[in-house]
Amino acid sequence: MTDAPQQTTLAQISYADFEKVEIRVGRITRAEAYPEARKPAYKLWLDFGPEIGEKRSSAQITKHYTPEALVGRQVLAMVNFPARQIGKMISEVLVLGVPDATGEVVLIGPGHDVPLGGKLF
């Protein structure tokens, strides 16, 4: 007899709570190394279209991506978190990803090119 894996009880939120979360599509227009960060990271500039405009972010995504490969890529980011000081820069959005088998970040983005600023639903 084997023990069944324990399932985590997840906190539930209402649909109204979910509607407050602004996860939008942006295109990375510029990426560069961020040597001043405590952990290896890149500085990113993202275009979210005319409604939101350009925002900056710091992302610890150096394992799977180079700055050159990031430019032009569409990604999902949470755009309504408060800005946060990361080293010497202000990070305005949280670029979203999931961990690979070793815990390194893999970015989340649409499978097809979509209009900038589109909201996740």
Side-chain angles (χ1 to χ4, degrees):
M1 183 170 153
T2 60
D3 292 328
Q6 295 232 345
Q7 292 186 348
T8 303
T9 302
L10 302 175
Q12 297 209 344
I13 64 170
S14 70
Y15 190 77
D17 290 332
F18 174 72
E19 286 181 311
K20 295 175 188 174
V21 178
E22 291 287 332
I23 297 175
R24 301 292 187 111
V25 175
R27 184 180 310 282
I28 299 172
T29 59
R30 184 173 153 200
E32 60 185 51
Y34 189 20
E36 300 89 1
R38 283 186 308 200
K39 295 181 181 179
Y42 296 135
K43 292 181 195 177
L44 304 176
W45 286 258
L46 300 104
D47 178 8
F48 289 95
E51 181 185 344
I52 298 169
E54 184 179 79
K55 300 290 183 183
R56 292 179 7 155
S57 186
S58 171
Q60 296 173 358
I61 55 174
T62 59
K63 179 70 175 181
H64 293 300
Y65 306 98
T66 63
E68 300 78 22
L70 289 167
V71 173
R73 183 185 191 102
Q74 286 192 325
V75 295
L76 292 174
M78 186 161 179
V79 299
N80 65 333
F81 267 154
R84 188 170 166 202
Q85 183 84 37
I86 306 289
K88 294 181 179 181
M89 76 172 281
I90 300 292
S91 185
E92 301 172 294
V93 298
L94 176 65
V95 176
L96 302 176
V98 295
D100 69 8
T102 64
E104 297 293 337
V105 178
V106 176
L107 293 172
I108 297 175
H112 301 279
D113 205 45
V114 297
L116 298 178
K119 184 177 179 183
L120 177 76
F121 58 83

XYZ file of all heavy atoms in Angstrom, residues 12-90:
637
model
N -9.779 30.073 -1.891
C -10.658 30.430 -2.988
C -10.913 31.931 -2.987
O -10.944 32.566 -1.931
C -11.965 29.666 -2.871
C -11.736 28.180 -2.993
C -12.922 27.461 -3.577
O -14.025 27.977 -3.637
N -12.696 26.247 -4.028
N -11.064 32.467 -4.182
C -11.406 33.877 -4.348
C -12.670 33.956 -5.188
O -13.033 33.010 -5.883
C -10.264 34.688 -5.009
C -9.996 34.205 -6.437
C -9.005 34.633 -4.162
C -9.052 35.095 -7.234
N -13.301 35.098 -5.144
C -14.508 35.279 -5.945
C -14.119 35.715 -7.363
O -12.989 36.151 -7.604
C -15.400 36.349 -5.314
O -14.786 37.625 -5.450
N -15.073 35.609 -8.269
C -14.824 36.085 -9.631
C -14.559 37.587 -9.612
O -13.717 38.081 -10.365
C -15.999 35.754 -10.565
C -15.647 36.025 -12.000
C -14.840 35.147 -12.709
C -16.099 37.173 -12.643
C -14.485 35.401 -14.025
C -15.753 37.429 -13.959
C -14.947 36.542 -14.640
O -14.594 36.802 -15.936
N -15.219 38.312 -8.730
C -14.978 39.760 -8.609
C -13.532 40.033 -8.216
O -12.922 40.983 -8.700
C -15.941 40.375 -7.595
N -12.951 39.190 -7.341
C -11.534 39.335 -6.978
C -10.657 39.110 -8.210
O -9.711 39.848 -8.461
C -11.137 38.346 -5.882
C -11.741 38.669 -4.538
O -12.025 39.857 -4.269
O -11.928 37.729 -3.747
N -10.950 38.067 -8.973
C -10.178 37.757 -10.178
C -10.232 38.913 -11.179
O -9.222 39.238 -11.817
C -10.688 36.473 -10.831
C -10.034 36.169 -12.147
C -8.724 35.748 -12.218
C -10.750 36.315 -13.325
C -8.117 35.477 -13.439
C -10.160 36.045 -14.552
C -8.838 35.620 -14.607
N -11.395 39.547 -11.307
C -11.529 40.660 -12.252
C -10.629 41.844 -11.898
O -10.309 42.655 -12.754
C -12.982 41.122 -12.324
C -13.867 40.160 -13.089
C -15.296 40.642 -13.173
O -15.864 41.032 -12.134
O -15.834 40.640 -14.293
N -10.204 41.951 -10.656
C -9.313 43.038 -10.231
C -7.878 42.818 -10.697
O -7.085 43.761 -10.750
C -9.317 43.167 -8.712
C -10.644 43.585 -8.131
C -10.582 43.564 -6.614
C -11.945 43.785 -6.010
N -11.929 43.636 -4.538
N -7.529 41.583 -11.020
C -6.166 41.254 -11.437
C -5.992 41.632 -12.907
O -6.711 41.139 -13.764
C -5.867 39.754 -11.223
C -4.466 39.403 -11.694
C -6.052 39.381 -9.761
N -5.062 42.534 -13.167
C -4.822 43.006 -14.538
C -3.596 42.301 -15.122
O -2.465 42.762 -14.985
C -4.600 44.516 -14.540
C -5.828 45.328 -14.211
C -6.842 45.357 -15.340
O -6.461 45.230 -16.522
O -8.035 45.521 -15.028
N -3.838 41.143 -15.729
C -2.778 40.418 -16.431
C -2.949 40.740 -17.904
O -3.988 40.426 -18.500
C -2.849 38.909 -16.157
C -2.613 38.654 -14.664
C -1.824 38.162 -17.016
C -2.773 37.223 -14.234
N -1.930 41.392 -18.466
C -2.022 41.896 -19.839
C -0.871 41.376 -20.690
O 0.190 41.013 -20.190
C -1.967 43.424 -19.838
C -3.055 44.116 -19.037
C -4.434 43.933 -19.678
N -5.446 44.721 -19.013
C -6.049 45.774 -19.553
N -5.742 46.181 -20.769
N -6.962 46.424 -18.868
N -1.075 41.414 -22.002
C -0.048 41.018 -22.969
C 0.818 42.223 -23.305
O 0.300 43.296 -23.636
C -0.687 40.485 -24.274
C 0.383 40.194 -25.318
C -1.512 39.255 -23.989
N 2.118 42.020 -23.193
C 3.066 43.043 -23.599
C 4.129 42.438 -24.496
O 4.346 41.223 -24.483
N 4.779 43.300 -25.273
C 5.879 42.845 -26.127
C 7.179 43.430 -25.582
O 7.260 44.626 -25.312
C 5.685 43.291 -27.571
C 6.781 42.729 -28.503
C 6.609 43.153 -29.951
N 5.284 42.945 -30.488
C 4.785 41.781 -30.904
N 5.518 40.693 -30.830
N 3.556 41.719 -31.394
N 8.171 42.569 -25.396
C 9.471 43.028 -24.928
C 10.140 43.791 -26.072
O 10.360 43.239 -27.150
C 10.343 41.855 -24.455
C 9.653 41.138 -23.289
C 11.737 42.345 -24.059
C 10.310 39.837 -22.854
N 10.424 45.066 -25.828
C 11.033 45.902 -26.870
C 12.532 46.091 -26.645
O 13.251 46.446 -27.570
C 10.362 47.288 -26.916
O 10.502 47.912 -25.637
C 8.894 47.171 -27.300
N 12.968 45.847 -25.425
C 14.386 46.013 -25.086
C 14.684 45.132 -23.883
O 13.856 45.008 -22.979
C 14.653 47.471 -24.761
C 16.080 47.829 -24.492
C 16.200 49.349 -24.363
N 17.319 49.703 -23.531
C 17.478 50.865 -22.925
N 16.563 51.814 -23.067
N 18.524 51.112 -22.192
N 15.863 44.507 -23.879
C 16.296 43.677 -22.755
C 17.801 43.815 -22.616
O 18.522 43.817 -23.613
C 15.915 42.219 -22.997
N 18.244 43.953 -21.382
C 19.692 44.039 -21.151
C 20.034 43.430 -19.801
O 19.191 43.341 -18.914
C 20.174 45.481 -21.239
C 19.572 46.431 -20.259
C 20.003 47.878 -20.484
O 19.903 48.374 -21.614
O 20.419 48.506 -19.497
N 21.279 43.006 -19.671
C 21.748 42.439 -18.417
C 21.591 43.463 -17.300
O 21.678 44.673 -17.531
C 23.205 42.014 -18.550
N 21.377 42.976 -16.097
C 21.214 43.838 -14.932
C 22.221 43.390 -13.862
O 21.866 42.735 -12.882
C 19.776 43.751 -14.434
C 19.409 44.754 -13.374
C 20.133 45.915 -13.167
C 18.324 44.527 -12.550
C 19.777 46.827 -12.193
C 17.957 45.435 -11.572
C 18.695 46.580 -11.397
O 18.347 47.469 -10.420
N 23.489 43.739 -14.059
C 24.529 43.250 -13.153
C 24.402 43.759 -11.720
O 24.944 43.152 -10.801
C 25.831 43.741 -13.803
C 25.433 44.862 -14.688
C 24.023 44.585 -15.119
N 23.673 44.850 -11.499
C 23.505 45.393 -10.147
C 22.511 44.589 -9.300
O 22.442 44.770 -8.084
C 23.029 46.853 -10.200
C 23.968 47.799 -10.914
C 23.686 47.881 -12.418
O 22.747 47.224 -12.912
O 24.437 48.595 -13.107
N 21.737 43.713 -9.921
C 20.754 42.909 -9.187
C 21.471 41.880 -8.312
O 22.566 41.423 -8.638
C 19.815 42.209 -10.163
N 20.847 41.533 -7.178
C 21.448 40.543 -6.266
C 21.567 39.176 -6.913
O 22.548 38.472 -6.713
C 20.608 40.409 -5.002
C 20.788 41.535 -4.028
C 20.033 41.245 -2.771
N 18.645 40.897 -3.114
C 17.636 40.956 -2.296
N 17.815 41.304 -1.062
N 16.427 40.642 -2.682
N 20.554 38.762 -7.672
C 20.566 37.489 -8.397
C 20.601 37.817 -9.884
O 20.113 38.867 -10.295
C 19.316 36.679 -8.072
C 19.248 36.239 -6.622
C 18.007 35.417 -6.382
C 17.903 34.989 -4.935
N 16.685 34.214 -4.685
N 21.151 36.935 -10.725
C 21.204 37.214 -12.167
C 19.828 37.579 -12.720
O 18.849 36.870 -12.488
C 21.714 35.911 -12.768
C 22.481 35.257 -11.648
C 21.743 35.641 -10.390
N 19.775 38.715 -13.419
C 18.491 39.218 -13.922
C 18.711 40.060 -15.163
O 19.834 40.442 -15.493
C 17.798 40.048 -12.838
N 17.600 40.365 -15.834
C 17.586 41.293 -16.961
C 16.672 42.459 -16.638
O 15.685 42.306 -15.911
C 17.049 40.612 -18.233
C 17.890 39.487 -18.763
C 17.302 38.305 -19.173
C 19.275 39.609 -18.876
C 18.056 37.262 -19.685
C 20.038 38.565 -19.381
C 19.426 37.393 -19.780
O 20.176 36.363 -20.283
N 16.985 43.609 -17.222
C 16.065 44.742 -17.261
C 15.253 44.574 -18.534
O 15.815 44.311 -19.598
C 16.816 46.068 -17.339
C 17.598 46.432 -16.119
C 18.262 47.784 -16.370
C 19.336 48.077 -15.378
N 20.013 49.357 -15.676
N 13.947 44.729 -18.419
C 13.070 44.588 -19.581
C 12.238 45.849 -19.764
O 11.794 46.460 -18.796
C 12.106 43.405 -19.386
C 12.707 42.035 -19.104
C 11.592 41.027 -18.849
C 13.596 41.585 -20.239
N 12.017 46.217 -21.015
C 11.096 47.283 -21.388
C 10.001 46.591 -22.191
O 10.279 45.853 -23.142
C 11.792 48.333 -22.229
C 12.717 49.217 -21.457
C 12.465 50.491 -21.045
C 14.049 48.915 -21.015
N 13.559 50.995 -20.366
C 14.542 50.053 -20.331
C 14.885 47.796 -21.108
C 15.811 50.100 -19.766
C 16.143 47.836 -20.543
C 16.596 48.984 -19.875
N 8.747 46.824 -21.791
C 7.625 46.135 -22.423
C 6.601 47.140 -22.928
O 6.251 48.086 -22.221
C 6.935 45.203 -21.417
C 7.830 44.113 -20.837
C 8.227 44.458 -19.427
C 7.136 42.781 -20.889
N 6.106 46.912 -24.121
C 5.062 47.744 -24.715
C 3.730 47.037 -24.529
O 3.546 45.913 -25.004
C 5.357 47.947 -26.199
C 4.302 48.771 -26.914
O 3.392 49.329 -26.256
O 4.383 48.868 -28.154
N 2.805 47.700 -23.826
C 1.477 47.150 -23.589
C 0.412 47.841 -24.434
O -0.772 47.748 -24.133
C 1.118 47.262 -22.102
C 1.908 46.320 -21.238
C 3.074 46.744 -20.616
C 1.514 45.011 -21.074
C 3.816 45.883 -19.826
C 2.246 44.137 -20.286
C 3.399 44.574 -19.669
N 0.816 48.540 -25.473
C -0.142 49.201 -26.343
C -0.525 50.577 -25.835
O -0.066 51.019 -24.777
N -1.395 51.279 -26.580
C -1.689 52.683 -26.274
C -2.393 52.920 -24.939
O -2.188 53.955 -24.316
C -2.573 53.127 -27.439
C -3.061 51.889 -28.088
C -2.060 50.809 -27.791
N -3.183 51.984 -24.452
C -3.911 52.193 -23.197
C -2.975 52.225 -21.983
O -3.140 53.044 -21.084
C -4.951 51.084 -23.007
C -5.768 51.224 -21.735
C -6.710 50.043 -21.516
O -6.965 49.262 -22.446
O -7.190 49.909 -20.389
N -1.978 51.353 -21.972
C -1.077 51.219 -20.823
C 0.296 51.813 -21.110
O 0.934 52.387 -20.232
C -0.960 49.738 -20.411
C -2.331 49.231 -19.978
C 0.071 49.549 -19.297
C -2.417 47.735 -19.794
N 0.764 51.687 -22.332
C 2.066 52.240 -22.717
C 3.229 51.326 -22.368
O 3.060 50.126 -22.162
N 4.412 51.921 -22.292
C 5.630 51.169 -22.006
C 5.867 51.109 -20.498
O 5.714 52.104 -19.794
C 6.841 51.806 -22.681
C 8.108 50.991 -22.472
C 9.314 51.587 -23.158
O 9.894 52.546 -22.613
O 9.669 51.084 -24.248
N 6.253 49.935 -20.021
C 6.569 49.707 -18.610
C 7.895 48.959 -18.526
O 8.312 48.289 -19.458
C 5.477 48.879 -17.920
C 4.101 49.508 -17.942
C 4.028 50.707 -17.050
C 2.633 51.301 -17.022
N 2.554 52.497 -16.222
N 8.534 49.078 -17.354
C 9.810 48.396 -17.131
C 9.655 47.314 -16.068
O 8.799 47.410 -15.198
C 10.870 49.391 -16.674
C 11.239 50.363 -17.754
C 12.270 51.387 -17.377
N 12.888 51.221 -16.079
C 14.081 51.679 -15.753
N 14.780 52.341 -16.628
N 14.571 51.504 -14.550
N 10.530 46.320 -16.168
C 10.516 45.239 -15.195
C 11.914 44.666 -15.054
O 12.742 44.769 -15.961
C 9.553 44.129 -15.634
O 9.425 43.143 -14.630
N 12.168 44.065 -13.912
C 13.371 43.278 -13.682
C 12.923 41.833 -13.584
O 11.936 41.533 -12.904
C 14.052 43.714 -12.386
O 15.094 42.832 -12.057
N 13.629 40.931 -14.278
C 13.203 39.537 -14.283
C 14.398 38.603 -14.171
O 15.386 38.772 -14.884
C 12.412 39.232 -15.557
N 14.287 37.631 -13.283
C 15.338 36.628 -13.092
C 15.087 35.468 -14.053
O 14.635 34.404 -13.666
C 15.355 36.165 -11.639
C 15.712 37.273 -10.681
C 15.558 36.857 -9.234
O 15.150 35.748 -8.916
N 15.879 37.770 -8.343
N 15.405 35.703 -15.321
C 15.096 34.733 -16.380
C 16.333 34.413 -17.214
O 16.219 34.068 -18.386
C 13.946 35.256 -17.280
C 14.282 36.631 -17.844
C 12.638 35.288 -16.500
C 13.286 37.156 -18.853
N 17.503 34.513 -16.605
C 18.755 34.378 -17.356
C 19.089 32.940 -17.733
O 19.911 32.722 -18.621
C 19.933 34.975 -16.567
O 20.042 34.292 -15.311
C 19.726 36.461 -16.325
N 18.481 31.958 -17.097
C 18.808 30.554 -17.372
C 18.373 30.130 -18.780
O 19.109 29.474 -19.491
C 18.143 29.659 -16.314
C 18.375 28.189 -16.507
C 19.802 27.800 -16.233
C 19.942 26.290 -16.314
N 21.277 25.837 -16.049
N 17.171 30.516 -19.179
C 16.620 30.039 -20.458
C 16.621 31.075 -21.575
O 16.277 30.735 -22.706
C 15.173 29.556 -20.249
C 15.070 28.332 -19.407
N 15.653 27.126 -19.733
C 14.454 28.122 -18.211
C 15.400 26.226 -18.806
N 14.668 26.816 -17.858
N 16.963 32.334 -21.262
C 16.796 33.395 -22.251
C 18.043 34.275 -22.321
O 18.721 34.484 -21.327
C 15.581 34.275 -21.897
C 14.316 33.478 -21.709
C 13.881 33.111 -20.433
C 13.550 33.069 -22.800
C 12.726 32.366 -20.251
C 12.394 32.331 -22.614
C 11.986 31.973 -21.339
O 10.847 31.240 -21.165
N 18.285 34.816 -23.518
C 19.297 35.845 -23.705
C 18.552 37.145 -24.002
O 17.410 37.103 -24.475
C 20.223 35.526 -24.891
O 19.436 35.514 -26.095
C 20.927 34.182 -24.703
N 19.177 38.289 -23.754
C 18.498 39.550 -24.083
C 18.062 39.608 -25.544
O 16.947 40.046 -25.843
C 19.542 40.616 -23.757
C 20.386 39.997 -22.693
C 20.450 38.531 -23.069
N 18.901 39.141 -26.431
C 18.584 39.192 -27.868
C 17.367 38.344 -28.214
O 16.541 38.732 -29.046
C 19.788 38.712 -28.705
C 21.039 39.539 -28.521
C 21.816 39.239 -27.238
O 21.664 38.139 -26.654
O 22.564 40.133 -26.795
N 17.229 37.182 -27.579
C 16.105 36.289 -27.862
C 14.797 36.818 -27.265
O 13.713 36.440 -27.716
C 16.390 34.890 -27.327
N 14.889 37.680 -26.261
C 13.688 38.209 -25.617
C 13.008 39.312 -26.416
O 11.788 39.440 -26.388
C 14.029 38.732 -24.223
C 14.351 37.658 -23.183
C 14.983 38.294 -21.952
C 13.100 36.885 -22.813
N 13.786 40.095 -27.130
C 13.233 41.239 -27.861
C 12.249 40.739 -28.922
O 12.554 39.846 -29.710
C 14.346 42.092 -28.487
C 13.766 43.178 -29.389
C 15.220 42.709 -27.400
N 11.048 41.296 -28.892
C 9.990 40.910 -29.828
C 9.038 39.878 -29.268
O 7.962 39.663 -29.833
N 9.392 39.248 -28.186
C 8.568 38.194 -27.587
C 7.374 38.793 -26.846
O 7.507 39.758 -26.118
C 9.430 37.387 -26.624
C 8.742 36.236 -25.986
C 9.677 35.578 -24.957
N 9.107 34.343 -24.542
C 9.500 33.147 -24.969
N 10.509 33.044 -25.794
N 8.902 32.059 -24.547
N 6.194 38.197 -27.018
C 5.020 38.601 -26.246
C 4.966 37.774 -24.968
O 5.182 36.560 -24.995
C 3.738 38.404 -27.046
C 3.547 39.439 -28.124
C 2.145 39.391 -28.711
O 1.538 38.344 -28.854
N 1.636 40.562 -29.064
N 4.688 38.456 -23.854
C 4.613 37.809 -22.550
C 3.406 38.334 -21.790
O 2.849 39.386 -22.121
C 5.892 38.047 -21.718
C 7.107 37.402 -22.373
C 6.125 39.524 -21.479
N 3.027 37.614 -20.754
C 1.974 38.068 -19.853
C 2.617 38.693 -18.627
O 3.634 38.206 -18.128
C 1.076 36.911 -19.432
C 0.215 36.323 -20.543
C -0.526 35.091 -20.048
C -0.759 37.344 -21.068
N 2.015 39.774 -18.158
C 2.525 40.465 -16.976
C 1.365 41.036 -16.183
O 0.349 41.441 -16.749
C 3.484 41.582 -17.381
N 1.544 41.071 -14.880
C 0.561 41.732 -14.016
C 0.928 43.199 -13.980
O 2.035 43.565 -13.579
C 0.567 41.143 -12.625
C -0.524 41.716 -11.770
S -0.835 40.644 -10.385
C -2.100 41.581 -9.572
N -0.003 44.042 -14.429
C 0.309 45.468 -14.583
C -0.264 46.346 -13.472
O 0.017 47.542 -13.451
C -0.138 45.998 -15.971
C 0.583 45.267 -17.089
C -1.642 45.892 -16.142
N -1.017 45.760 -12.537
C -1.592 46.613 -11.491
C -1.052 46.315 -10.090
O -1.699 46.585 -9.104
C -3.118 46.612 -11.523
C -3.748 45.272 -11.216
O -3.158 44.225 -11.445
N -4.964 45.290 -10.713
N 0.160 45.788 -10.006
C 0.894 45.752 -8.738
C 1.529 47.114 -8.533
O 1.868 47.791 -9.513
C 2.042 44.740 -8.799
C 1.709 43.362 -8.304
C 2.421 42.276 -8.773
C 0.735 43.127 -7.356
C 2.156 40.995 -8.323
C 0.454 41.856 -6.900
C 1.172 40.790 -7.387
N 1.766 47.507 -7.286
C 2.518 48.750 -7.069
C 3.945 48.600 -7.592
O 4.513 47.506 -7.557
C 2.523 48.911 -5.544
C 1.470 47.991 -5.022
C 1.300 46.895 -6.035
N 4.519 49.697 -8.083
C 5.913 49.679 -8.543
C 6.806 49.287 -7.371
O 6.493 49.564 -6.205
C 6.302 51.042 -9.086
N 7.939 48.652 -7.685
C 8.828 48.142 -6.638
C 10.275 48.451 -6.993
O 10.687 48.292 -8.143
C 8.605 46.640 -6.557
C 9.265 45.981 -5.434
C 8.783 44.560 -5.313
N 9.700 43.891 -4.414
C 9.894 42.618 -4.355
N 9.226 41.826 -5.162
N 10.746 42.114 -3.512
N 11.029 48.875 -6.018
C 12.456 49.152 -6.213
C 13.201 47.826 -6.249
O 13.160 47.049 -5.295
C 12.985 50.008 -5.063
C 14.430 50.419 -5.211
C 14.581 51.663 -6.062
O 13.763 52.567 -5.990
N 15.614 51.702 -6.865
N 13.885 47.545 -7.361
C 14.711 46.347 -7.505
C 16.119 46.845 -7.821
O 16.396 47.254 -8.952
C 14.216 45.423 -8.643
C 12.740 45.064 -8.488
C 15.100 44.188 -8.741
C 12.409 44.135 -7.355
N 16.983 46.855 -6.835
C 18.313 47.421 -7.038
C 18.188 48.900 -7.329
O 17.535 49.637 -6.593
N 18.764 49.331 -8.440
C 18.741 50.749 -8.802
C 17.564 51.125 -9.706
O 17.436 52.266 -10.102
C 20.043 51.125 -9.508
C 21.253 51.027 -8.610
C 22.505 51.435 -9.357
C 23.711 51.366 -8.448
N 24.935 51.771 -9.140
N 16.725 50.169 -10.054
C 15.616 50.484 -10.965
C 14.268 50.274 -10.289
O 14.157 49.565 -9.296
C 15.702 49.650 -12.251
C 15.278 48.209 -12.110
S 15.180 47.308 -13.679
C 13.618 47.878 -14.312
N 13.256 50.896 -10.859
C 11.876 50.692 -10.429
C 11.240 49.681 -11.382
O 11.206 49.902 -12.594
C 11.075 52.019 -10.467
C 11.702 53.065 -9.550
C 9.607 51.769 -10.114
C 11.601 52.759 -8.078
